[in-house]
Amino acid sequence: MLRFPNDHHYGRVEERIQKNEHPLNLLLLPNRGNAGSELGVEILGVGLVHPFFWGSTSIGSEEACGSMDPASKSGTDRLCAFVCPSNPDNDDPRVNPMAEGGPSLVGLGCRRVLVSVAEKDLFRDMGQMYYEALGRSGWTGVTEIHETEGEGHGFHLYNPDCENAKDLIGRLAPFFNN
């Protein structure tokens, strides 16, 4: 959670976004130490709920979900090429933080990361890979992972009153309040 002490800090974030820097990178881009310090905030922890990470090579959940709904995989491939036109092979670090040649995760700019994935999410295995890569990177922060069974990407947004959405919030709340 970020709280900006005054409006001029928000302006810095907005300025960086206008320069096409991915918002997640503003907070988490490795090799910056605590990236929030340049924005006037300290980032204690980040919860990545159903992260939209992608790559040029299909893995587990992408292959399984892609075979059930080929439009979802091909649509994501096209979206990533649109989001990162200078690197349309889907291995741009803005969509694939584990991409070869990308920045090392060891300098991640926060102390704690909770990665939440959903069993039927096309992006589940990339979220799991990020969690594992972060643990192997030498980064000294605390990592946690949480998987919701039987649900797809963003389920908590479409059905916020279901039991699984309440369980997800129940997992995020203590993470942010700790």
Side-chain angles (χ1 to χ4, degrees), residues 104-123:
S104 168
L105 297 174
V106 75
L108 194 64
C110 64
R111 298 180 194 167
R112 299 172 35 230
V113 174
L114 169 63
V115 180
S116 176
V117 296
E119 178 186 19
K120 296 180 180 179
D121 187 353
L122 181 66
F123 309 105

Side-chain angles (χ1 to χ4, degrees), residues 130-153:
Y130 179 78
Y131 164 78
E132 293 168 0
L134 194 53
R136 288 189 310 266
S137 72
W139 177 65
T140 58
V142 176
T143 56
E144 298 178 38
I145 191 153
H146 171 256
E147 181 171 344
T148 303
E149 294 181 7
E151 299 288 359
H153 187 82

Side-chain angles (χ1 to χ4, degrees), residues 16-173:
R16 300 286 291 279
I17 291 170
Q18 293 298 322
K19 291 180 180 178
N20 294 322
E21 187 164 348
H22 191 283
L24 183 61
N25 289 349
L26 291 174
L27 305 176
L28 297 179
L29 191 64
N31 301 324
R32 281 193 176 155
N34 191 319
S37 62
E38 71 185 70
L39 301 173
V41 295
E42 182 179 8
I43 301 164
L44 302 176
V46 174
L48 298 174
V49 179
H50 307 163
F52 187 99
F53 295 148
W54 200 243
S56 60
T57 305
S58 293
I59 60 169
S61 58
E62 296 167 14
E63 293 171 349
C65 292
S67 65
M68 291 184 290
D69 181 8
S72 61
K73 182 179 178 341
S74 63
T76 302
D77 283 336
R78 286 192 310 276
L79 178 62
C80 287
F82 175 77
V83 170
C84 303
S86 62
N87 195 359
D89 70 355
N90 298 336
D91 279 329
D92 189 296
R94 291 172 289 186
V95 293
N96 183 359
M98 293 89 50
E100 189 174 321
S104 168
L105 297 174
V106 75
L108 194 64
C110 64
R111 298 180 194 167
R112 299 172 35 230
V113 174
L114 169 63
V115 180
S116 176
V117 296
E119 178 186 19
K120 296 180 180 179
D121 187 353
L122 181 66
F123 309 105
R124 181 194 72 210
D125 288 349
M126 284 296 281
Q128 176 76 35
M129 279 180 59
Y130 179 78
Y131 164 78
E132 293 168 0
L134 194 53
R136 288 189 310 266
S137 72
W139 177 65
T140 58
V142 176
T143 56
E144 298 178 38
I145 191 153
H146 171 256
E147 181 171 344
T148 303
E149 294 181 7
E151 299 288 359
H153 187 82
F155 75 90
H156 58 293
L157 301 173
Y158 305 112
N159 192 2
D161 295 324
C162 75
E163 258 335 283
N164 282 339
K166 292 175 184 175
D167 289 346
L168 176 58
I169 298 302
R171 181 70 186 252
L172 290 169

